Amino acid sequence: MIRVTEQESKHHDIDKMSVLEILKGINSEDKIVPLAVEKAIPQIEKLAAAVAERMEKGGRLFYIGAGTSGRLGVVDASECPPTFGVPFDWVVGIIAGGDTAIRKAVENAEDDATQAWIDLQEYNINAKDCLIGLAASGTTPYVIGGLHTAREKGVLTGCIVCNEGGPIAAESDYPVEVVVGPEFLTGSTRMKSGTAQKLVLNMLSTTVMIRLGRVKGNKMVDMQLTNHKLVDRGTQMVMDELNIDHDHAADLLIRYGSVRKAVEASHK
């Protein structure tokens, strides 16, 4: 495989650039990312459809990764319950080194090829579930090992990587390869590669949740009402859907606890 993520930056002597030159250079590279994601949409489509089908039958979605990739998986998983009102164990993000690694790098955690499956067993992962490996390089041993064993156990496997033809893609039933090219800062895959993975995760989880019926029209009707902003947003949704005033909508929302339940109760 060609390690595009490790190739030298096209921008030279960046330590001698002005602030404006640095910012323009980073921005010029960032513009490449959505175009690379667009090329990968056929792969993303296959992965999203397969995950949605498994989850419709009671399966769960797991992400595993190390470093930036692992953190992005944790972020996406943690945002699904408040956004879509799903249980906290429907989408699970696991990072090499455990929760400590979310804030502080854990030495050599990504090099242990057996630890991911041990971590996954804490959640009783089984053949109904889906596992997506996240690794910009496509070569992280923690992710390779987890996908390999999961696949042997009948778990649906996928990945989001930024190099083509790597061992993580080889262990995936549904690989997604988004090749964004060398980073502005050589090898710093928290930049373009991380942005690409974040975009694909947004596309994947949102598509799956829509397919699972967690969205009505274009609204987050099952979102958790965890702060004043979200209560206000939910109240507006109820007002718009039922064509009622603010106070009536707010009363229904508080009484039933979600936009969906408030609207459904009013239609009975």
Side-chain angles (χ1 to χ4, degrees):
M1 63 175 291
I2 299 174
R3 292 175 177 265
V4 178
T5 55
E6 298 300 321
Q7 289 180 351
E8 185 175 354
S9 171
K10 301 177 219 174
H11 304 263
H12 302 288
D13 298 318
I14 62 176
D15 56 331
K16 296 182 175 71
M17 289 182 178
S18 69
V19 170
L20 182 59
E21 288 171 331
I22 292 170
L23 295 175
K24 285 186 173 182
I26 293 172
N27 182 244
S28 70
E29 292 297 330
D30 286 344
K31 291 175 183 177
I32 295 169
V33 177
L35 299 176
V37 172
E38 182 179 21
K39 290 180 181 178
I41 284 178
Q43 292 181 322
I44 302 168
E45 178 190 16
K46 291 176 182 178
L47 177 59
V51 170
E53 183 179 356
R54 283 277 177 116
M55 295 188 76
E56 284 176 344
K57 297 176 181 178
R60 297 166 293 168
L61 173 58
F62 291 86
Y63 300 130
I64 54 171
T68 296
S69 298
R71 294 182 189 100
L72 289 170
V74 171
V75 167
D76 193 74
S78 66
E79 290 175 346
C80 286
T83 304
F84 301 106
V86 298
F88 282 92
D89 62 352
W90 267 31
V91 185
V92 179
I94 298 173
I95 183 171
D99 286 354
T100 299
I102 295 172
R103 295 182 178 274
K104 183 179 179 181
V106 177
E107 188 175 357
N108 299 324
E110 70 175 62
D111 296 327
D112 189 336
T114 62
Q115 187 61 44
W117 185 248
I118 295 170
D119 294 342
L120 287 161
Q121 285 181 298
E122 293 184 16
Y123 297 89
N124 297 313
I125 190 171
N126 59 71
K128 293 180 179 180
D129 298 324
C130 312
L131 176 64
I132 297 178
L134 307 172
S137 68
T139 60
T140 305
Y142 178 85
V143 178
I144 297 170
L147 288 172
H148 179 79
T149 304
R151 204 176 191 187
E152 288 183 333
K153 304 291 185 181
V155 178
L156 182 149
T157 59
C159 69
I160 305 171
V161 297
C162 296
N163 287 323
E164 288 183 309
I168 286 176
E171 294 291 354
S172 300
D173 301 315
Y174 298 94
V176 175
E177 298 168 310
V178 187
V179 182
V180 295
E183 299 287 356
F184 175 78
L185 178 62
T186 300
S188 182
T189 53
R190 70 185 183 87
M191 301 184 78
K192 285 195 301 184
S193 297
T195 300
Q197 289 181 306
K198 172 61 175 167
L199 290 177
V200 176
L201 285 167
N202 286 349
M203 296 167 75
L204 174 68
S205 57
T206 302
T207 300
V208 168
M209 292 300 158
I210 292 169
R211 299 296 293 173
L212 294 176
R214 309 304 293 195
V215 171
K216 182 174 175 59
N218 59 9
K219 302 295 194 301
M220 299 179 289
V221 293
D222 293 317
M223 66 180 182
Q224 295 178 352
L225 307 173
T226 54
N227 57 50
H228 292 304
K229 178 190 72 175
L230 296 178
V231 171
D232 288 342
R233 182 185 296 166
T235 300
Q236 188 63 54
M237 289 183 197
V238 176
M239 289 171 63
D240 293 343
E241 183 68 24
L242 300 178
N243 194 26
I244 58 178
D245 63 39
H246 180 278
D247 290 346
H248 189 189
D251 178 66
L252 286 173
L253 186 65
I254 298 303
R255 187 188 314 171
Y256 291 103
S258 77
V259 174
R260 183 190 297 276
K261 291 178 181 177
V263 171
E264 289 178 349
S266 296
H267 284 321
K268 288 182 180 179

